Every structure is written in C-alpha cells, then in structure tokens.
Amino acid sequence: MSDVAWNVVAHNNPSREMYPWVYERNIMRWAFLYPGAREQLVNWKESWAVPFLAQIRTAAAQYPDNEQLKKLVADILEGCPEAQELWDRHDFYEHPDGDIRHMRIPHGGAGEVPVRIMALAPLRNRQLRFIVAFHGV
C-alpha cells in the first residue's frame, strides 16, 4: 500500500520478496532515480515512465497542497533528464486498472514476465492505494 506520494506504507511478505528494491522507499523515486529500475522495468520509457508521470501529474492536480507530492515531482524532474521531457507532455492518468506491463524480476528468472497491475483505493481514505500485481498473465 502506498500513500498519495507513492511512499510505501504497508506491504506483505510475498511482495517484499518479489520487489525487494522498492520497500522502505518510494515507488516513483525508485522507478526514476535508481539505475536498476530501467533494467527491471521493460520498455521503461513508454510502458512505465509515461504512465507513472501522468499518474503523478493527476495526483498533483488532486492534491495541490501536498508537500511530499511537490517534493517528489521536484526530485524526479531534477534527477532524471528524461522526466522533464515526458512531464512537458502534460499527460494525465488516474491509476492502472488491469494494465499489463513487462518486468524482469530478480527472483523470476532471466526473462521478461508479464505483470497485470491493478490499483485499488479504500473508500474511506482515497489518499491511499493498494496495488495488486499478477505475474505471468
């Protein structure tokens, strides 16, 4: 589970084993600022960076006073040269609802694994999201 600024606030043990690089961090900072993310997120720019930045833009429009979200945007745009170009596209995107993307998972063998990503939000706290990823779909 992550908050509105993609800080991981809760997880289960299977997800920690599958994605050890993300936990105790921020999902978006990892995707844009850690070199290993580009290795693991297949077709990083179009399949991951474009929709991620569009999601960040959408959240920033919904929560314009959220300081953590403002800092996230600044950190990504400062630390990732490609992000500024993509940010300037002005794309908006709520959250994945069954998107299929491909990853190279450290414990999943050498090949690419299709992953179906679904984001859910608790009815009483829309500032949290629960991400479900199904591998091998």
Side-chain angles (χ1 to χ4, degrees):
M1 182 172 287
S2 65
D3 65 14
V4 71
W6 284 271
N7 297 303
V8 175
V9 297
H11 59 81
N12 63 18
N13 286 334
S15 66
R16 185 176 181 87
E17 290 174 19
M18 192 62 69
Y19 311 108
W21 60 88
V22 172
Y23 297 99
E24 299 177 32
R25 296 190 182 126
N26 180 286
I27 295 167
M28 296 300 186
R29 279 190 179 86
W30 171 77
F32 287 96
L33 304 177
Y34 286 75
R38 292 174 192 235
E39 301 285 325
Q40 294 167 345
L41 302 174
V42 176
N43 191 20
W44 175 83
K45 184 177 180 179
E46 291 302 321
S47 294
W48 296 91
V50 168
F52 276 177
L53 283 173
Q55 285 176 256
I56 293 169
R57 179 183 299 284
T58 301
Q62 292 172 334
Y63 304 100
D65 298 327
N66 185 295
E67 293 302 321
Q68 289 185 8
L69 199 48
K70 288 178 188 179
K71 175 129 177 60
L72 175 66
V73 171
D75 290 351
I76 289 172
L77 295 181
E78 180 181 322
C80 179
E82 297 95 330
Q84 184 65 57
E85 169 196 336
L86 298 175
W87 187 256
D88 291 343
R89 290 169 53 164
H90 300 283
D91 294 335
F92 284 86
Y93 186 59
E94 185 75 29
H95 288 292
D97 187 21
D99 289 3
I100 297 177
R101 302 180 193 163
H102 290 82
M103 297 180 74
R104 292 180 194 92
I105 300 173
H107 307 295
E112 297 176 9
V113 176
V115 179
R116 181 179 304 273
I117 303 167
M118 306 214 35
L120 311 163
L123 290 175
R124 294 179 193 247
N125 188 348
R126 304 275 305 159
Q127 293 187 12
L128 294 174
R129 66 183 68 81
F130 181 76
I131 306 295
V132 180
F134 302 97
H135 300 116
V137 292

